[in-house]
Amino acid sequence: MGLLDRAGARLTADVDKADILVVNTCSFIDTAKQESVDTILEMARHKTSGSARKLIVAGCLVERYRDEIQKSIPEVDAVVGTGELESILEAAGLSMPAAPASTSPFTILTTAQAAVTHPGKESQSGTHKYTAQSDRAVAVGPGFIPDIESTKENGASAPAIAYRPEGDLREQQGRFRRDDWQGATHLLPTYLYDESTPRFLTTPRSSAYIKIAEGCDHPCTFCVIPNLRGKFRSRRFESVVAEAQSLVARGVQEITLIGQDTTCYGEDLGLKDGLATLLDELARIPNLRWLRFLYAYPNRITGKLLETIAKHDNICKYLDVPLQHASSSVLKTMKRGAGADIFLKTIQKVRAAVPGIALRTSFIVGFPGETAEDVTVLEDFIKEAKFDWLGVFSYSHEEGSAAYALEGQLPKRTIESRRRHLMKLQQKISKQSKQQWVGRELVVLAEGESEETPLLWEARTQFHAPEIDGKVYINDTGELDKLEPGRFYKAQITEAHDYDLVARILSPAL
Ligand code: SF4
């Protein structure tokens, strides 16, 4: 959207007003594929009726069914995979004007330049030292030679990407193969955006996501995301910092860091404790009120990471760690390892290091071979761990995943009843734990009038990530006539429901 916007396209969410229709797709599970195909077909009707000139399909479905999309849906004029984002301009018949001069306070260098200006392995970034070892490692500070062009991650002069040894090993083991995906290109995406890539924010003005890494090297047998997104690769440290600074300068007050696995951040750049170092740097940006990250991998929650969360007031006391299951035998077949005992120790460590932290996780039920005993192990674990937020998802049997070849597939009915059972259990746990919030005074971010009724406002605390967790409904604005979306207020929790809370406003939070 940012590229199209900068190239002069006017963006609209109203399909009847559009000349060019772009469907951004997902294809990691069956339901996502179905939704993507249904939307493409719906948009194709708009094209045949003559209201739109072009139909472009972008995203993960293209990585998987590139040829088939164009063969089966002739209304589609062009496809744009996840590794070729910039080709959306050509597909739309637009060209890119010259990028405006960078306003980044950083000078970004190649490793060779860093070695010249900063001999030895250590580079200095603000108050942090980190080791520059890979081709894409960078150094900042006064006196460095500016050379933004040669560090472009996707330009002709971009240096070769250095992956993590795990990624290279998994590649040799065939983790990223797409051979049996008809029509998929064999080239894995290597694309990474940077701070100079134009962005068009669709989130409320006060909040933004920043993707800090792309791809994944983990071997989870149920998952085809690595085949779709490629090997794990981190964005440059300074690029993320520069983007965060520019977002905050534009009025963003809450930043959520994302990536398929945020906790591996920087390993391919030779950074130790990369995510902790990045958080530490970002937390120092003036006027950034809330900073969080999603999708932590359980065995990568280090003491340093927890220390960093605890240390900064503006790092939300919130941890999202998808565990997928708790039975060690299911986790073993999932190729994730660990089990309930290890996870409980991790949770204990997290809660001890960051008192009051909110924990979110997600589980998959119905993995091939999952027994009733495995579900009991998961159930006991959920009772013991008492997560603040929890999602249970039904296993989706995905062609191209290692689990596709496994025997012991369960009937859909069984999977659904296990899912419902666990969600009911969590509802009870959530209801009890939310009661303990009543009476607490917390800072909330007002998001706007409730979709259900204009008599209520919706808000979030630092313990609620955008879009995924419960809500705080404001039914009393106290002495204020009205609230403003995107502003922070002090509020008192007055009621608790299964997942949602009700609060009254005490005063603006300065
Ligand atoms: S860590 Fe997440 S994205 Fe990576 S393979 Fe496992 S489930 Fe898929």
Side-chain angles (χ1 to χ4, degrees):
M1 285 195 283
L3 289 165
L4 289 167
D5 180 54
R6 187 181 283 174
R10 259 200 300 150
L11 302 180
T12 172
D14 183 348
V15 67
D16 293 319
K17 289 190 184 147
D19 294 323
I20 300 167
L21 306 169
V22 182
V23 182
N24 195 25
T25 60
C26 179
S27 71
F28 87 119
I29 51 171
D30 262 349
T31 44
K33 279 186 270 183
Q34 193 55 54
E35 194 181 327
S36 298
V37 171
D38 290 347
T39 311
I40 299 169
L41 294 175
E42 192 190 327
M43 294 302 118
R45 281 197 290 276
H46 283 270
K47 198 186 151 198
T48 22
S49 73
S51 72
R53 281 190 295 114
K54 275 190 182 193
L55 174 56
I56 301 169
V57 176
C60 284
L61 197 76
V62 175
E63 289 299 323
R64 193 158 179 180
Y65 302 105
R66 180 177 293 263
D67 294 348
E68 224 172 307
I69 294 169
Q70 287 186 296
K71 240 189 286 160
S72 326
I73 315 175
E75 291 86 351
V76 174
D77 296 284
V79 290
V80 178
T82 57
E84 51 194 11
L85 254 66
E86 282 151 13
S87 72
I88 196 151
L89 294 181
E90 195 190 329
L94 297 165
S95 56
M96 191 57 150
S102 170
T103 51
S104 164
F106 292 106
T107 300
I108 301 177
L109 293 185
T110 59
T111 307
Q113 289 165 337
V116 171
T117 41
H118 222 109
K121 285 194 167 176
E122 296 267 276
S123 297
Q124 188 86 31
S125 164
T127 53
H128 300 290
K129 282 190 168 180
Y130 62 91
T131 312
Q133 289 169 337
S134 84
D135 281 356
R136 290 184 300 139
V138 292
V140 297
F144 289 121
I145 309 159
D147 187 5
I148 304 283
E149 239 355 90
S150 65
T151 64
K152 279 258 181 258
E153 278 136 71
N154 302 287
S157 55
I161 293 180
Y163 293 107
R164 300 161 68 232
E166 288 90 332
D168 292 334
L169 180 71
R170 296 265 147 72
E171 186 170 29
Q172 284 161 23
Q173 293 167 344
R175 173 61 171 127
F176 306 97
R177 281 217 339 245
R178 300 159 155 211
D179 298 353
D180 45 359
W181 287 4
Q182 279 185 358
T185 141
H186 288 267
L187 289 175
L188 283 175
T190 55
Y191 182 85
L192 268 179
Y193 80 100
D194 65 22
E195 80 287 3
S196 64
T197 310
R199 280 189 68 184
F200 188 91
L201 294 186
T202 52
T203 40
R205 212 175 139 253
S206 51
S207 294
Y209 293 96
I210 294 184
K211 189 170 251 196
I212 59 171
E214 185 58 272
C216 181
D217 297 336
H218 290 292
C220 312
T221 50
F222 53 83
C223 182
V224 294
I225 289 175
N227 309 54
L228 293 166
R229 292 272 164 178
K231 289 158 80 175
F232 179 84
R233 53 211 188 268
S234 306
R235 282 183 57 194
R236 298 182 316 261
F237 190 92
E238 285 69 23
S239 172
V240 178
V241 176
E243 184 183 8
Q245 286 173 329
S246 116
L247 287 168
V248 173
R250 284 160 65 182
V252 167
Q253 299 178 80
E254 177 188 32
I255 286 178
T256 303
L257 306 180
I258 52 168
Q260 270 83 45
D261 173 4
T262 47
T263 41
C264 274
Y265 175 76
E267 288 187 13
D268 51 330
L269 302 177
L271 301 182
K272 192 171 177 300
D273 281 312
L275 180 61
T277 312
L278 181 67
L279 288 167
D280 204 20
E281 189 74 28
L282 296 176
R284 291 162 203 269
I285 298 177
N287 301 324
L288 175 58
R289 294 187 76 144
W290 283 353
L291 170 64
R292 74 178 84 231
F293 59 96
L294 302 179
Y295 318 129
Y297 199 81
N299 67 5
R300 291 187 182 265
I301 300 166
T302 61
K304 178 87 198 269
L305 183 60
L306 296 173
E307 242 173 62
T308 310
I309 298 173
K311 180 169 125 189
H312 293 280
D313 285 347
N314 62 348
I315 300 186
C316 297
K317 308 303 172 243
Y318 181 98
L319 184 67
D320 167 47
V321 51
L323 296 174
Q324 312 300 7
H325 215 285
S327 151
S328 50
S329 73
V330 175
L331 284 162
K332 192 170 171 208
T333 340
M334 285 180 165
K335 284 219 177 138
R336 288 182 60 93
D341 292 351
I342 294 176
F343 290 159
L344 284 171
K345 279 196 189 123
T346 305
I347 290 168
Q348 229 174 18
K349 183 175 101 176
V350 171
R351 288 184 169 142
V354 191
I357 194 167
L359 288 178
R360 158 168 275 277
T361 194
S362 50
F363 295 115
I364 293 174
V365 281
F367 190 77
E370 182 191 68
T371 62
E373 289 74 46
D374 293 322
V375 180
T376 308
V377 171
L378 181 52
E379 191 176 331
D380 292 344
F381 173 68
I382 290 173
K383 284 183 197 158
E384 181 103 26
K386 294 194 172 49
F387 292 96
D388 298 273
W389 312 112
L390 183 152
V392 183
F393 298 91
S394 300
Y395 169 72
S396 177
H397 202 48
E398 287 307 311
E399 198 182 344
S401 68
Y404 199 67
L406 292 178
E407 288 178 1
Q409 264 221 75
L410 300 175
K412 279 207 165 101
R413 240 189 13 254
T414 310
I415 298 178
E416 185 49 25
S417 97
R418 288 179 181 181
R419 193 192 70 79
R420 272 206 307 267
H421 173 68
L422 294 175
M423 281 312 292
K424 260 215 134 56
L425 168 66
Q426 175 62 17
Q427 190 178 2
K428 269 194 229 148
I429 294 171
S430 174
K431 189 175 184 167
Q432 280 168 8
S433 78
K434 298 290 170 297
Q435 287 299 333
Q436 292 162 18
W437 292 49
V438 176
R440 281 177 76 179
E441 289 182 14
L442 297 164
V443 170
V444 298
L445 169 61
E447 295 200 297
E449 276 179 7
S450 162
E451 282 167 9
E452 285 158 38
T453 159
L455 300 174
L456 295 175
W457 267 63
E458 286 180 10
R460 283 186 289 117
T461 70
Q462 63 164 314
F463 309 110
H464 298 77
E467 300 174 285
I468 44 175
D469 299 323
K471 291 194 163 106
V472 181
Y473 290 104
I474 309 291
N475 63 356
D476 180 353
T477 57
E479 291 180 3
L480 302 175
D481 290 340
K482 62 182 177 88
L483 304 182
E484 275 178 51
R487 283 204 63 175
F488 288 81
Y489 297 91
K490 281 190 192 147
Q492 185 174 46
I493 308 296
T494 52
E495 286 172 44
H497 297 270
D498 291 354
Y499 300 107
D500 299 324
L501 301 165
V502 179
R504 73 184 170 91
I505 297 295
L506 300 173
S507 64
L510 300 173

